[in-house]
Every structure is written in structure tokens, then in C-alpha cells.
Amino acid sequence: MTGDKRTVDILFYYFVSFAALVVTGLIYKAVFVAYNYQQFSNLAVSEIAYALFWGVRFDMAAAALLSLLSCIILSLFYRLLPSKKPASALLFIMLLLQLTMQIGDTVYYAEAGRHVSYEMRDALADASGLFMTAVTQHAMFIVLSYLFGYVVVLVVLNLAKRFLSHSQDGVAMPESGLKYGLKFLAILLLSVLIVRGGVTGVPQSVISAFKIGDAQQAIVAMNGAYSVVYGVLHSSKEVSRIDVTLPDGVDVNAVMRSLYA
């Protein structure tokens, strides 16, 4: 895979990578529900299925981010190492990265009862403790998930490579700088649009999952990889302290004593 020198059109590659990541994201969400099924046992199978597919917008957002990252790396190879075109290897890495994030999110939910999100900074600070908890409490699940996920990755990757092989006679990176630039701009705009969740309205966030109207279905709808990435990007944001000016003559100590005798 790392020696793949077949020519691949970058825009076509983006769409193939995007589709592969969306499909695997849905599969891993099903694994999330299966492992934490006791939390959703009061939902009917049809309600779980509806939530899984309703949340495809989050699967698409995660897939768009990872596919964009792949295209950026592929572009760097074109600029710096034009003889190397690791398209298949990059897709393989992104599929494994997505698998790892969603397994981690599944284990975190089993322990904390929520998806990884804003507390990502604290999770990174206590990474060793979380790792030991995962290994000691969920070792079997992690091993089986990676085995299952690896099989899924290989199947999806082989299907993706068949699609990519159709562009073998094309141009890997167009000789025309303008043509390549336009394709890359299209990729960037598509990624922003998909991650944002549309053209109009407020950009989607992890809270957007609750638009489904049911708290448990919202948890099922959320993509673990999207939640992890969102948490990393927003973990540095803190609640700002607002200075409050008290009216004259207010005895703060007396007020506190009256409230907390």
C-alpha cells in the first residue's frame, strides 16, 4: 500500500475516501450501541436504526475532516516527493485513526456515561489513568473491536482501491496548476460545508445531536470520532469570569451566612 504509485485524481480520491469513512463510521456507531446496549434498552430497534442514520451528518463531518487531511498530505507528497503517491496508505491510516477514536469514545461512554467532548483537555492530562482503566476494564472489547475493525477496514479499503484504480490512466496531480488549485479549492469548500452542517443556520456542534428530540437517540446519533475532534478543538475554551459590582452597603459575609448557615 505504501508503494502505491497508481495515478489518482485528487478530487475523485476525496470522494472515495469520504464515502469509505462514512460507511465505517456508521458501522462503528453500531458497535458503540451494541457495547452500551443496556443504556438504550428502552429504545426500539427501529428507533436505534433511525438515530444511527439521522446522525449521518456527524459521520459525514468526521469523514470530511479526515478526507481533507488526507488530501493535504497527498498534496505535500506531490510537491515534495512527486514519485510517491501513497493514496491507499493514507486512506488506510485515516480509517484506523477513525476506528481508534470511536473505540476510545465507546470505552469512555461506558465509564463516564457520555461522549468525549469538552473535557478532552482533562482526558489528555490524565491519559495514563484512562489508558489503565481501558486496559483493565475493557481489554476484551478493545481487542475484539480492533480485530473486527481491521477486517472492516481491509474490506472497505479493497473496495475503495477498486474505485481508485479506475482513474489509473488519469493524472494524479493535474499538470495545470490552475486546474489542481480549483479542485483543491472545491475540496476545501465541500469540507467546510459538510463540517458546518449546511449553508444556513448555526454551525453544527455536539449539542446539535439533541435536535433529534430524544436524549438517548441523540447519544446514538453522535459519531465518536466527530465528538473527539470537536472536543480537541474546543477543549481550550473556558468559561470567562465576569466581575460583578455589588450594590453599596451589601455585607457579603452576612449574605453568605444567611444562605449557608
Side-chain angles (χ1 to χ4, degrees):
M1 287 182 292
T2 56
D4 187 4
K5 297 183 180 181
R6 292 176 298 178
T7 56
V8 178
D9 181 88
I10 193 169
L11 186 57
F12 187 73
Y13 170 77
Y14 175 83
F15 284 122
V16 172
S17 173
F18 175 78
L21 287 161
V22 169
V23 170
T24 51
L26 273 169
I27 293 173
Y28 301 147
K29 284 202 308 186
V31 172
F32 167 86
V33 174
Y35 190 63
N36 295 289
Y37 183 72
Q38 287 186 343
Q39 303 292 330
F40 314 111
S41 57
N42 61 330
L43 291 176
V45 174
S46 59
E47 291 175 318
I48 292 175
Y50 173 76
L52 286 172
F53 286 98
W54 185 92
V56 73
R57 65 194 70 187
F58 302 109
D59 306 327
M60 292 171 63
L65 283 171
L66 294 174
S67 296
L68 175 61
L69 179 59
S70 292
C71 288
I72 292 174
I73 297 173
L74 198 61
S75 177
L76 292 175
F77 269 89
Y78 163 65
R79 301 297 179 187
L80 303 177
L81 298 169
S83 63
K84 302 291 184 180
K85 304 199 173 51
S88 298
L90 282 173
L91 179 54
F92 178 74
I93 291 170
M94 294 305 160
L95 288 167
L96 282 184
L97 179 60
Q98 180 194 48
L99 171 64
T100 299
M101 287 191 289
Q102 293 197 239
I103 289 176
D105 178 73
T106 301
V107 171
Y108 186 85
Y109 184 87
E111 288 292 324
R114 61 182 183 275
H115 285 289
V116 175
S117 186
Y118 296 99
E119 68 279 1
M120 192 64 194
R121 181 180 56 181
D122 296 331
L124 292 174
D126 191 30
S128 60
L130 292 173
F131 176 76
M132 291 305 301
T133 300
V135 170
T136 55
Q137 302 295 326
H138 308 277
M140 184 61 68
F141 167 74
I142 293 173
V143 171
L144 292 178
S145 293
Y146 268 110
L147 290 175
F148 172 73
Y150 188 72
V151 172
V152 171
V153 166
L154 289 182
V155 171
V156 172
L157 185 63
N158 285 329
L159 290 174
K161 287 171 69 175
R162 290 185 181 183
F163 282 101
L164 291 174
S165 65
H166 290 306
S167 62
Q168 186 170 353
D169 297 327
V171 181
M173 297 295 177
E175 295 178 358
S176 169
L178 177 61
K179 187 176 181 181
Y180 173 72
L182 290 175
K183 287 190 174 185
F184 202 88
L185 179 61
I187 290 171
L188 182 60
L189 292 176
L190 275 172
S191 299
V192 171
L193 181 64
I194 295 170
V195 172
R196 191 181 186 279
V199 179
T200 61
V202 179
Q204 69 179 1
S205 66
V206 292
I207 304 300
S208 302
F210 290 91
K211 290 181 180 179
I212 196 173
D214 181 271
Q216 288 190 318
Q217 284 184 306
I219 294 170
V220 174
M222 176 53 59
N223 177 286
Y226 175 84
S227 188
V228 169
V229 173
Y230 189 90
V232 170
L233 295 177
H234 293 79
S235 62
S236 60
K237 295 183 178 180
E238 297 178 347
V239 177
S240 301
R241 176 180 175 180
I242 300 176
D243 294 327
V244 178
T245 302
L246 297 174
D248 295 336
V250 174
D251 187 340
V252 177
N253 291 329
V255 171
M256 295 300 292
R257 282 195 298 271
S258 66
L259 291 173
Y260 306 103

